[in-house]
Amino acid sequence: MRIIAAKTEKEVGLKAAELIAAQVTTKPDSVLGLATGSSPLTTYAQLAAWYESGDLDFSLVTSVNLDEYVGLPGTHEQSYRYFMNTNLFSKINIDPARTNVPSGTAKDLQAECRRYDQLIEDLGGIDLQLLGIGPNGHIGFNEPDDRFHKGTHIVTLTERTRQANARFFSSIDEVPTHAITMGIKPIMNAKQVVLIAIGKGKAQALCDMIQGPITPACPASILQLHRHCTVVADEEALSLLKRCSGAA
Ligand code: GLP
């Protein structure tokens, strides 16, 4: 696992965007696995800026997002579809028909899980998967559990995750209790993974992920086995890592 340390949130965005830009430049029809949350915001802003300046072209890119809240339609301001449209898709020249987010309002959610897995398979898998990390070590919405879930599945959100995400809603009661999330298999099969972590709230999760045992109790820890995983993080997020490794 490669670790890139950045000083500021903006620099985290720059470093992560550089990796994505390199991917899209060398393979214009890349399949990008995309993430939501506050962590990738500066990355998306940088990508949009490079598109604006004519340095990046997303016209042939396909995107597959990690997850969505169950019950929120794409028009809901806190849905991940809305987040992606607002923070990235509307700011670059990606073809909207080639942007994919699992549906949290499908009548048959199990069928939607199977459809999403098939979609990723039909695309030939993911070239670069962008990830954030939850304070409890979740990736996408793969919450701590007693096993790793391979495919797209419906998950009951932990109280900790609902609390962490409550800041985006007017009250905790409005935070959905369930989500649909891509499983571990397409993430591990992605040719490249870039994980972003910002702030001291992520320090313990990053430490467990990189230096702890590989266990579904910390879903991100499985990335220790990924062949091409880069962590882009600020000093606060890396602070505990330094202490437990004893490294400089
Ligand atoms: C959310 C998302 C994850 C995201 C994580 C961290 O619940 N499902 O994909 O990586 O939590 O979010 P943030 O970047 O806002 O801290």
Side-chain angles (χ1 to χ4, degrees):
M1 207 177 282
R2 196 161 64 111
I3 299 173
I4 298 177
K7 289 221 178 317
T8 62
E9 199 166 336
K10 196 165 177 221
E11 198 187 334
V12 170
L14 174 66
K15 300 285 179 196
E18 279 171 356
L19 298 174
I20 297 170
Q23 173 67 43
V24 173
T25 303
T26 50
K27 187 174 182 242
D29 62 345
S30 288
V31 177
L32 299 181
L34 297 177
T36 51
S38 40
S39 305
L41 281 175
T42 51
T43 304
Y44 292 157
Q46 183 62 68
L47 292 176
W50 281 333
Y51 162 67
E52 273 300 318
S53 60
D55 294 308
L56 262 185
D57 175 16
F58 293 88
S59 60
L60 298 176
V61 164
T62 297
S63 69
V64 280
N65 259 79
L66 283 164
D67 48 11
E68 181 58 280
Y69 287 114
V70 166
L72 298 194
T75 48
H76 190 290
E77 284 188 18
Q78 295 312 328
S79 74
Y80 286 169
R81 163 54 80 178
Y82 190 94
F83 174 100
M84 291 308 301
N85 288 348
T86 312
N87 292 298
L88 186 65
F89 299 153
S90 62
K91 297 186 171 168
I92 59 174
N93 66 335
I94 194 167
D95 177 353
R98 273 208 269 260
T99 66
N100 299 282
V101 180
S103 168
T105 54
K107 272 213 180 75
D108 184 344
L109 286 167
Q110 292 307 328
E112 174 63 3
C113 291
R114 291 192 296 275
R115 182 193 73 82
Y116 211 65
D117 283 337
Q118 191 60 52
L119 168 83
I120 296 167
E121 208 178 307
D122 292 347
L123 288 169
I126 295 165
D127 289 304
L128 184 152
Q129 177 66 55
L130 186 65
L131 294 173
I133 184 168
N136 62 2
H138 74 226
I139 45 177
F141 267 134
N142 287 274
E143 293 278 47
D145 204 345
D146 55 8
R147 71 209 134 112
F148 292 109
H149 294 263
K150 270 198 307 190
T152 304
H153 58 285
I154 306 298
V155 62
T156 305
L157 299 177
T158 63
E159 210 38 44
R160 193 165 175 203
T161 294
R162 293 185 69 238
Q163 292 284 358
N165 290 1
R167 67 190 193 278
F168 300 113
F169 294 80
S170 38
S171 79
I172 177 89
D173 298 334
E174 284 184 23
V175 183
T177 53
H178 292 79
I180 177 169
T181 183
M182 194 190 281
I184 293 296
K185 188 177 164 192
I187 297 172
M188 289 304 285
N189 283 346
K191 295 192 184 86
Q192 183 179 176
V193 169
V194 177
L195 184 141
I196 298 173
I198 298 165
K200 61 175 184 294
K202 301 297 172 67
Q204 188 60 53
L206 217 53
C207 185
D208 293 343
M209 166 194 158
I210 298 171
Q211 295 175 331
I214 298 169
T215 164
C218 175
S221 65
I222 200 168
L223 294 168
Q224 290 177 33
L225 299 175
H226 197 281
R227 283 158 299 165
H228 190 172
C229 177
T230 306
V231 175
V232 186
D234 69 353
E235 286 169 356
E236 283 190 349
L238 292 170
S239 57
L240 280 180
L241 194 69
K242 287 177 191 163
R243 208 179 314 150
C244 43
S245 70

